[in-house]
Amino acid sequence: MTAVAAPILEFHDVTVAYGRRPVLWNVDLAIAEPCLFGVIGPNGAGKSTLLKAALGLVPVVGGYVRFFGAPLDRVRGRVGYVPQRETVDWDFPVSVMDVVLMGTYGRLGWLRRPGRRERDLARHCLDRVGLVGLAERQIGRLSGGQQQRVFLARALAQEADVYLLDEPLAGVDVRSQEQIFRVLAEVRDQGKLVVVVHHDLRTAAEWFDRVALIDMRLVATGPTADVLTPDNLRRTYAGRVELLEEIGRAVAERGRTP
Amino acid sequence: MNPTDGTVLVADAGFAFHGWSMATAAVVSAACALVGSFLVVRRMSLLGDAIAHAVLPGIAVAVLAGGRLGGPLVLAGAVAAALVTVWLTRVIHESVGLAEDAGAGVVFTSLFALGVVLVTLFASQIDLDPQCVLFGILELAAFDLVPLGPFLVPRALVTAVAVLGLVAATLLATWRLQVFTAFDQAAARAAGVPVAAVTMLLLGTTAVATVAAFEAVGAVLVVAMLVVPAATAELLVHRMPLVAAVAVALAMVGACLGWVAAWWLNTSAAGMMAVVLGGFYALAVLLAPGDGLVARGAAGLGLAWRVAREDWLARIWRAGEEAGGAGEVARPRPRSAIERAAAAWLEWSGVVESRRGMVRLSAAGVREAETVVRSHRLWEAWLGRHAELPLDHLHPPAEWVEHHLGAAMRERIEAEMAAGEADPHGREIPREAGGRP
Amino acid sequence: MMAAAPTLAAWPPLVAVAAGPLDAGLTYNTLVALAGVATVGFAAGVAGTLALLRRRPLVGDAAAHATLLGVGAAFLLTGRRDLPTLLAGALVSAVAALVVLVFLRRIARTRDDAATAIVIGVSFGAGLALLAGITARGLPGGAGLEQFLLGHAAALTAQDALLLAAASCATVALVAVAFKEFVLVAFDDAFAAAIGRPVGLIDTALVALVAVMVVVGLPAAGAVLVTALVVIPPVAARQWTTRAGRMLLLAGLFGLAAAVAGVLASTLRPGLATGPLVVLTAAAICVVSFAVAPERGWLWRRSTLPGGEESP
């Protein structure tokens, strides 16, 4: 009897609540093979929350998330992350190189400073995203697309096997978008799983191998062409969400819905 | 006079002394609480703190220029200093992109330091001294009397009443605008309200209120009078006119109690007033209906009790269903202390009839149990239909949602299903009982 | 207390000559006190930079105002007036104020700014009430506690200054060792958490450092103004550089300059508290930085073409 390899990323009956209010209900999702995987859905549907739950950034009140069959704490070095751009203060006094080097901190630990090996790796990652000439520039002096590529380079510097990206293309010009996607496709071709929270249906249909449709719960998942059907899209975007929101409110207030 | 050099209170001068002092304190704190209600709701508490500090150089310069403490020149000086503070903070923020906090911190500490230096250097020419600037001279208010018609009243009280009048008049005149801007600045701006002017007016009013408070409690404790009563009121009531009214009432009572406490403990009146106001806030945090810690704890307990009760009834009902509709089944074993208590209560109140190790649900018990089971199975059906969940994942979510579905919600869910449809496990979904939720 | 300290004249001739003009009024004691205050200023600027980068520049304000309560309580409980005892009390009440602040925000769900203002006002009032009560009862040794309101560095003994210097050096050492972690968390705490850093712990360490500096800065600046020593130098330093490390160093130097200049200035006239002068010096440095710093300074911007290299 052959053993089945654990999925690269598995969400098992995951429910996420902010305070007491559930925002993601019982998500069951397993990604077994490396691919370019899109998480699609309306605004506020919980797509970013799903990613944050995987990384332990928001608490999971039901179920669990596993990477390669293990909890995140055991395999942190194999998971790379690109957070949303709005969370960052672009006036911060760091250079592009400083930011990319932060990707190496996971392996360096607390006390060691980045050395030659880390700097070479950082330069290589900057090269892959096409920013090597800007290494010494302060990050506030970059365009939106360039800033996003710096974050991508930082994630690449983590040398991970799974990459989770939260809206990496929001507010980015079309040329940069294509550039970023080319890099992501290269990463996938190297045998890594790339999970991207994405807002644009049209480009999603073009770029992703597989997608998951999320609207406070998992509506459908599978190969892109199979999932992005008019019926599924209607179920997601036309929303039966008011029900979930009302129940969520009732739970938060410890009462009942009317 | 320096409250920390041992001469806090002269020999008890009787009713007039206490009366005047408490009256002054009450009026001052009422003015501050009124303006503070808006500051707190608009998340401008720290700006209020900043203004309270930054008016010092304005006051010092005005007094040096010949103004009396509390006279119109001083009020003007305070307002000017407040406007300078806000302008400088804005300028720093725009040219540097720093958090408003940092800019305000730089500006108000610098201005306050400037004020203290001015007051120290020109101590002989002003009747302020640095210590009094920090904690006020309320204790002397009753001795600095001015004639008002046939009466002799404390000058500080006259100032305070004038300031209260000014503050109240300004805020009442612009009440609607202030409230609208306070609760939804974006909507106000979209509706054409001159938000910047409204804000400036509020800050100017703060500066004026600060001047009156200065003499009573000094710079640092003005912030207590501005913020604490309003924050307490917000825990207790939620509509703006009530918040302001409750804040003013709390402030006045707190000021008087603080004075009495200070006299009894032989210490600084300003300090004790802040402590008393803080005590009110602590009580509100604990006891406020709805938001208070006690209320929240009770609500949590209430939910746990309801869940335990419903779980118990549903278990008995399901046991009966499994036994082919039998009325009497063996008593299940409680799974937790609260479930044990709920079971005992249900048996005591007759909802569950118990006899020799067997239990049976009364009519009321059946109704309640069926409602819970109905909620559970409806939710499983809904999830099964609308989420990509395998069968064995449906039970846990339904286990906790079943306690939160009301009658109308159950109808909505049922409306989406075919008539007589079973739950995903093939079990029948009980009908809705008439009446009970 | 030790016997009359040696004056500069007793020092090796080279030092005496170099310090000749300063000899008037300066003793060994004063020099050590100045050195102590200088390290405090440096460390305060360093700690304040981390707080500013983390976008919480006023985190020390509540702690600062609460120190008064601790000073009074320490005196009441132990009957002693030496600086280490009083500062220990100050540290306890500073930490307590910060705990209350966290409680108000997380559990009582008070708004951030209101919570800070409440803690500031009530703790300061309590401290004031305690100190006034002590003085009113004429407890021996109780007079002079009010120096902690606005600072009185002249009262520092050499031993006190050494204690302050030691605490300051420990702070700077910790920051130096863990600098990259502080910057990581300040820049992007989501990423930091994702790579497994205990963000809450690091934030707590930051707040603790600021609390220590606020307490250590009490003799120089007093409870009411010590936050300025933590807030102003980093703001000034930001004008001069776009590298976090250099900003840290510069803020430390500015803090050092402000502390030393303020203390020296306060010796010019008896009765002048040190705090306001330290703050005014820091403010002057800040104003100059805003005006003349390359690229960000006002004078500079006036002379660049519109749409120049400035970032949006």
Side-chain angles (χ1 to χ4, degrees):
Chain A
M1 201 162 64
T2 51
V4 180
I8 301 181
L9 173 55
E10 183 193 357
F11 294 85
H12 180 91
D13 200 24
V14 167
T15 298
V16 182
Y18 281 130
R20 296 177 43 86
R21 196 169 50 85
V23 294
L24 261 186
W25 295 70
N26 311 106
V27 172
D28 237 38
L29 176 64
I31 310 175
E33 303 287 325
C35 63
L36 207 46
F37 192 97
V39 177
I40 321 284
N43 279 334
K47 313 191 295 291
S48 290
T49 308
L50 191 67
L51 236 50
K52 290 183 189 159
L55 290 163
L57 299 177
V58 299
V60 169
V61 297
Y64 60 76
V65 182
R66 298 258 192 276
F67 289 85
F68 307 102
L72 178 63
D73 281 327
R74 293 224 295 259
V75 291
R76 261 192 213 275
R78 300 178 72 178
V79 179
Y81 180 44
V82 177
Q84 281 183 328
R85 231 158 28 96
E86 301 91 61
T87 59
V88 164
D89 169 21
W90 293 96
D91 203 39
F92 204 89
V94 284
S95 66
V96 164
M97 173 59 89
D98 291 334
V99 174
V100 178
L101 280 175
M102 287 181 190
T104 64
Y105 285 6
R107 280 169 212 278
L108 279 178
W110 286 69
L111 294 178
R112 283 167 50 209
R113 306 247 163 169
R116 139 118 351 136
R117 184 194 169 263
E118 284 75 29
R119 282 183 200 281
D120 287 342
L121 172 61
R123 254 184 284 275
H124 174 68
C125 295
L126 279 174
D127 196 27
R128 283 179 76 176
V129 301
L131 286 181
V132 72
L134 299 177
E136 295 308 315
R137 192 169 289 193
Q138 195 258 336
I139 48 169
R141 286 146 163 249
L142 300 176
S143 71
Q146 290 170 327
Q147 287 169 345
Q148 203 57 64
R149 284 187 276 155
V150 170
F151 270 14
L152 184 54
R154 179 178 67 180
L156 292 176
Q158 290 183 270
E159 295 184 302
D161 294 319
V162 180
Y163 290 93
L164 305 181
L165 296 92
D166 198 347
E167 304 259 13
L169 302 175
V172 169
D173 60 279
V174 175
R175 244 203 81 219
S176 290
Q177 284 189 23
E178 287 173 357
Q179 205 170 1
I180 291 176
F181 254 110
R182 238 179 297 122
V183 176
L184 293 180
E186 275 171 26
V187 173
R188 182 243 353 240
D189 293 337
Q190 289 173 336
K192 323 281 188 189
L193 171 63
V194 179
V195 179
V196 180
V197 168
H198 193 59
H199 58 281
D200 182 17
L201 278 179
R202 188 186 50 82
T203 44
E206 274 177 47
W207 283 330
F208 295 114
D209 306 324
R210 306 173 70 87
V211 293
L213 279 178
I214 298 277
D215 189 16
M216 292 188 84
R217 82 261 180 225
L218 178 65
V219 176
T221 183
T224 311
D226 299 345
V227 171
L228 294 184
T229 62
D231 200 49
N232 278 343
L233 291 176
R234 200 172 26 85
R235 280 172 66 197
T236 317
Y237 284 82
R240 305 200 170 276
V241 186
E242 318 85 51
L243 208 116
L244 287 173
E245 281 174 349
E246 268 189 61
I247 298 179
R249 259 198 302 278
V251 170
E253 286 157 26
R254 298 189 177 88
R256 287 190 209 270
T257 64
Chain B
M1 199 228 36
N2 181 342
T4 63
D5 73 3
T7 58
V8 173
L9 291 170
V10 300
D12 188 345
F15 181 75
F17 173 63
H18 291 303
W20 282 138
S21 310
M22 284 201 274
T24 313
V27 172
V28 159
S29 58
C32 288
L34 187 54
V35 101
S37 309
F38 287 97
L39 290 177
V40 166
V41 168
R42 292 187 62 172
R43 292 171 196 265
M44 287 167 52
S45 311
L46 286 182
L47 200 46
D49 184 25
I51 290 181
H53 285 75
V55 293
L56 182 59
I59 293 178
V61 165
V63 170
L64 267 178
R68 299 173 288 111
L69 206 51
L73 189 58
V74 165
L75 290 181
V79 171
L83 294 178
V84 163
T85 307
V86 172
W87 172 71
L88 274 179
T89 309
R90 274 307 146 71
V91 160
I92 296 182
H93 179 58
E94 271 156 30
S95 91
V96 172
L98 275 179
E100 290 266 355
D101 271 24
V106 169
V107 171
F108 84 76
T109 47
S110 311
L111 286 180
F112 188 73
L114 179 63
V116 172
V117 167
L118 282 178
V119 162
T120 315
L121 287 179
F122 298 107
S124 51
Q125 287 144 289
I126 332 183
D127 14 302
L128 291 173
D129 74 62
Q131 313 284 43
C132 291
V133 149
L134 283 179
F135 32 70
I137 44 174
L138 184 61
E139 290 83 351
L140 283 188
F143 299 102
D144 182 8
L145 302 170
V146 294
L148 188 70
F151 303 105
L152 276 179
V153 295
R155 184 185 43 77
L157 181 57
V158 173
T159 313
V161 169
V163 162
L164 177 60
L166 196 53
V167 165
T170 314
L171 288 178
L172 286 173
T174 55
W175 189 264
R176 284 253 195 80
L177 294 179
Q178 295 284 357
V179 173
F180 193 5
T181 317
F183 281 94
D184 193 342
Q185 197 164 341
R189 191 172 287 129
V193 171
V195 166
V198 165
T199 309
M200 280 302 144
L201 199 59
L202 181 63
L203 294 177
T205 316
T206 310
V208 167
T210 302
V211 169
F214 234 78
E215 252 195 292
V217 296
V220 184
L221 295 170
V222 174
V223 73
M225 284 191 162
L226 284 173
V227 174
V228 182
T232 313
E234 258 209 318
L235 284 176
L236 302 172
V237 294
H238 300 288
R239 285 187 45 239
M240 193 51 195
L242 273 178
V243 168
V246 170
V248 166
L250 284 173
M252 294 177 81
V253 171
C256 295
L257 278 182
W259 172 265
V260 168
W263 174 71
W264 178 53
L265 291 172
N266 194 11
T267 181
S268 147
M272 286 315 294
M273 285 195 264
V275 168
V276 167
L277 291 178
F280 287 171
Y281 183 74
L283 279 178
V285 163
L286 215 49
L287 300 176
D291 282 330
L293 294 181
V294 166
R296 275 195 257 153
L301 266 177
L303 175 67
W305 179 261
R306 183 162 70 80
V307 166
R309 178 197 166 100
E310 289 178 357
D311 279 346
W312 186 252
L313 289 172
R315 267 172 87 187
I316 298 178
W317 192 93
R318 284 193 177 99
E321 188 190 40
E322 257 171 65
E328 219 175 51
V329 294
R331 191 178 191 276
R333 175 167 298 147
R335 284 174 297 210
S336 68
I338 196 169
E339 209 171 74
R340 206 169 317 142
W345 172 265
L346 285 167
E347 283 165 23
W348 182 84
S349 57
V351 178
V352 170
E353 293 152 13
S354 154
R355 193 177 49 150
R356 283 197 299 232
M358 306 287 279
V359 287
R360 167 201 289 277
L361 295 174
S362 68
V366 166
R367 270 204 303 277
E368 200 175 330
E370 283 190 349
T371 306
V372 179
V373 174
R374 174 175 159 73
S375 298
H376 182 108
R377 292 180 180 171
L378 278 174
W379 189 244
E380 286 195 352
W382 193 92
L383 270 187
R385 178 184 279 250
H386 292 295
E388 293 246 322
L389 283 182
L391 263 189
D392 60 349
H393 282 202
L394 293 175
H395 183 69
E399 271 286 277
W400 60 276
V401 170
E402 69 188 2
H403 303 289
H404 296 281
L405 295 184
M409 179 62 74
R410 287 194 295 270
E411 268 180 49
R412 280 167 66 181
I413 298 178
E414 194 172 31
E416 293 184 16
M417 300 170 36
E421 188 172 330
D423 82 354
H425 302 286
R427 288 192 283 253
E428 189 194 325
I429 302 182
R431 302 274 92 216
E432 185 79 32
R436 292 273 310 275
Chain C
M1 286 285 272
M2 46 190 205
T7 63
L8 265 180
W11 282 51
L14 192 58
V15 174
V17 162
L22 298 174
D23 186 42
L26 278 190
T27 60
Y28 167 78
N29 226 23
T30 317
L31 277 181
V32 176
L34 264 181
V37 163
T39 45
V40 168
F42 185 83
V46 162
T49 307
L50 295 183
L52 181 61
L53 289 177
R54 190 73 177 105
R55 288 183 259 178
R56 303 174 58 190
L58 296 182
V59 68
D61 214 7
H65 286 82
T67 52
L68 223 46
L69 189 55
V71 165
F75 172 73
L76 262 187
L77 291 175
T78 66
R80 297 168 49 169
R81 272 201 58 196
D82 54 295
L83 196 65
T85 312
L86 297 181
L87 288 191
L91 187 60
V92 167
S93 65
V95 168
L98 291 170
V99 168
V100 168
L101 196 56
V102 166
F103 171 80
L104 284 183
R105 286 179 182 170
R106 301 248 183 91
I107 304 187
R109 296 195 213 137
T110 320
R111 297 194 190 85
D112 280 5
D113 62 321
T116 310
I118 293 172
V119 172
I120 287 177
V122 175
S123 65
F124 191 76
L128 202 53
L130 192 58
L131 286 190
I134 289 175
T135 336
R137 286 161 177 73
L139 294 174
L145 286 181
E146 72 266 15
Q147 293 169 359
F148 285 93
L149 278 172
L150 288 174
H152 192 57
L156 279 179
T157 65
Q159 282 150 313
D160 294 338
L162 285 177
L163 169 67
L164 299 182
S168 308
C169 290
T171 304
V172 174
L174 179 60
V175 171
V177 163
F179 181 59
K180 78 176 203 297
E181 305 300 326
F182 283 115
V183 172
L184 171 70
V185 166
F187 176 63
D188 191 347
D189 55 8
F191 184 77
I195 65 173
R197 293 300 200 258
V199 172
L201 187 64
I202 294 177
D203 275 344
T204 307
L206 170 61
V207 171
L209 283 180
V210 172
V212 165
M213 287 323 304
V214 151
V215 166
V216 160
L218 280 181
V224 178
L225 289 171
V226 68
T227 30
L229 200 51
V230 168
V231 174
I232 302 183
V235 169
R238 182 68 184 90
Q239 301 309 300
W240 295 90
T241 174
T242 55
R243 303 300 297 272
R246 286 181 214 155
M247 180 180 164
L248 195 82
L249 216 48
L250 209 48
L253 289 174
F254 287 163
L256 188 154
V260 168
V263 168
L264 279 179
S266 75
T267 62
L268 292 177
R269 203 194 126 133
L272 265 184
T274 5
L277 294 165
V278 167
V279 173
L280 281 181
T281 317
I285 298 178
C286 199
V287 166
V288 166
S289 304
F290 270 74
V292 306
E295 287 189 14
R296 293 176 80 115
W298 289 321
L299 297 181
W300 221 264
R301 283 171 162 212
R302 284 271 182 75
S303 62
T304 47
L305 299 164
E309 263 212 315
E310 295 310 311
S311 56

